Amino acid sequence: MEKIKGLIDTLYLNEDLSDEGLLEIIETIDATSAEYLFDKALEKKAKHYKDTVFMRGLIEFTNYCKQNCSYCGIRGKNSKVDRYRLSKEMILDCCEEGYALGYRTFVMQGGEDPFFTDDILTDIIRSIKARYPDCAITLSVGERSRESYAALKEAGADRYLLRHETASKALYDALHPGMRFENRIACLYTLKDLGFQVGAGFMVGLPNQTSKDLVADLRFIKTLQPEMVGIGPYIPHEETPLNGAKGGTVEETLIMVALARLLLPMALLPSTTAMGTLDPKGREKALKAGANVVMPNLSPTDVREKYELYKDKICTGDEAAHCRQCIEGRIKSAGFRVDMGRGDHASISIPEGAKPIQIIG
Ligand code: SF4
């Protein structure tokens, strides 16, 4: 395994590696070299973010979706989903509770719900910004037009998450009926162009996904240079066409998180709820492999279970304050400190009017 360690050292030093080198790591890494990889990724993360982990308040504000991604539990064609939308007032209530709990980033996530027109969304964004000017707003509402993205940015949205899901066109097209890979990628570049802090990302363990596809994902994020990269294991949902698929593992996802950290040292990398769903210590393991963001839930508890992207999603019954406390405990127990600041990308200075970073614990 000396060869693998040598490749990891080269990647650490150059913050890049050939596709062949990445492929060799993915295909042949063993448990000892994986530990070495995680240590190097953590070392790299510490150079930019020390021992801190950012917390974001997640508001899942609509589970309506016009799309039909084959892996997704809330896809439009799943008639068993109990659909909901939060009103503007309910969203503002979530922010109020989140602000009191110390959150300074709100992540508004939803399906591609035509109800939320530009007028409605921009009104909500402006209202949040008027009340909480020191907070960042992250949107995650799928593919929209350039004009729409521009309007959302103009209203005050700071960041936009749009996982590319897979950088393999064939795999992407097979999993996304009615959607186009080229459009997905174009949306990401448009968001960058408009000045959003952009989040791309992908799933690990998709049916028919190969190691080469994963290398393509890593190459894509290295080229795009997104500020955020969400990487999670694919977890099958029984009410989807992929029911019965095997899904991804925590171990292979951790390797991709660590490789992403070494390729994009300043990236904001979430430790995902999906990791915690597969392994009670999954989120702590991701932090130790270079992740530096967690997104506890601020959505009202009565809608949590309805936002089931994958099976057996955890934390659906917990109050916002409980989630905040639970995650903070996990962060500390893994040896990190909670940072309740806005948590911008390390290349971005804190905007005028934002409070200084608060470190807890
Ligand atoms: S992954 Fe997103 S766009 Fe696709 S069906 Fe689910 S919520 Fe809709």
Side-chain angles (χ1 to χ4, degrees), residues 84-338:
Y84 73 90
R85 287 183 184 111
L86 300 188
S87 64
K88 175 182 167 185
E89 289 64 39
M90 290 165 98
I91 294 170
L92 286 168
D93 285 349
C94 293
C95 294
E96 186 179 347
E97 186 176 11
Y99 194 86
L101 288 168
Y103 292 104
R104 294 299 177 264
T105 288
F106 301 120
V107 180
M108 287 179 56
Q109 188 168 76
E112 292 198 14
D113 181 356
F115 173 86
F116 286 98
T117 58
D118 293 347
D119 283 349
I120 292 178
L121 261 187
T122 53
D123 176 50
I124 294 170
I125 293 164
R126 286 202 174 91
S127 300
I128 297 173
K129 280 287 185 172
R131 288 191 194 183
Y132 310 107
D134 54 333
C135 290
I137 296 180
T138 304
L139 295 177
S140 178
V141 288
E143 297 181 16
R144 300 172 83 99
S145 67
R146 183 182 180 96
E147 293 67 37
S148 175
Y149 287 148
L152 301 174
K153 182 82 179 64
E154 221 267 316
D158 303 272
R159 312 179 186 134
Y160 203 103
L161 305 176
L162 185 75
R163 285 191 184 189
H164 64 278
E165 309 295 3
T166 170
S168 153
K169 176 175 160 49
L171 195 52
Y172 185 93
D173 289 346
L175 293 169
H176 300 89
M179 299 171 82
R180 284 177 58 243
F181 176 71
E182 292 79 2
N183 194 51
R184 191 77 171 181
I185 303 305
C187 282
L188 283 163
Y189 278 99
T190 300
L191 289 162
K192 276 211 94 147
D193 191 43
L194 290 169
F196 280 99
Q197 291 180 55
V198 171
F202 55 97
M203 278 183 284
V204 181
L206 286 164
N208 301 319
Q209 187 179 44
T210 64
S211 303
K212 280 190 179 159
D213 292 330
L214 292 170
V215 172
D217 285 316
L218 294 171
R219 187 55 55 204
F220 175 70
I221 59 164
K222 183 68 186 170
T223 307
L224 177 71
Q225 296 276 322
E227 282 76 16
M228 303 163 280
V229 185
I231 302 172
Y234 161 60
I235 304 177
H237 188 291
E238 62 198 6
E239 297 298 335
T240 65
L242 298 182
N243 180 31
K246 192 168 143 278
T249 66
V250 166
E251 290 68 28
E252 57 199 5
T253 307
L254 289 172
I255 288 164
M256 301 312 290
V257 168
L259 291 173
R261 169 61 66 203
L262 292 176
L263 286 165
L264 292 177
M266 283 196 265
L268 296 157
L269 297 180
S271 164
T272 61
T273 308
M275 292 293 264
T277 296
L278 287 185
D279 176 344
K281 290 279 176 203
R283 284 171 291 181
E284 290 89 327
K285 288 179 184 173
L287 295 177
K288 290 178 180 172
N292 64 334
V293 174
V294 289
M295 298 201 279
N297 211 318
L298 282 180
S299 312
T301 42
D302 59 333
V303 302
R304 297 262 190 98
E305 272 184 11
K306 299 173 188 170
Y307 203 90
E308 195 184 53
L309 301 180
Y310 52 83
K311 213 57 209 158
D312 300 325
K313 189 176 158 195
I314 53 169
C315 307
T316 53
D318 300 329
E319 296 290 339
H322 175 89
C323 277
R324 157 97 174 63
Q325 226 177 5
C326 162
I327 301 276
E328 187 174 331
R330 288 174 183 277
I331 292 170
K332 287 183 180 169
S333 74
F336 301 99
R337 283 188 300 159
V338 174

Side-chain angles (χ1 to χ4, degrees), residues 62-77 83 110-113 140-143 165 175-176 179 184 203 307 309:
T62 172
N63 70 352
Y64 281 86
C65 189
K66 67 179 183 190
Q67 302 292 4
N68 278 294
C69 307
S70 305
Y71 45 79
C72 178
I74 63 168
R75 63 201 301 272
K77 283 190 178 159
R83 305 280 170 179
E112 292 198 14
D113 181 356
S140 178
V141 288
E143 297 181 16
E165 309 295 3
L175 293 169
H176 300 89
M179 299 171 82
R184 191 77 171 181
M203 278 183 284
Y307 203 90
L309 301 180

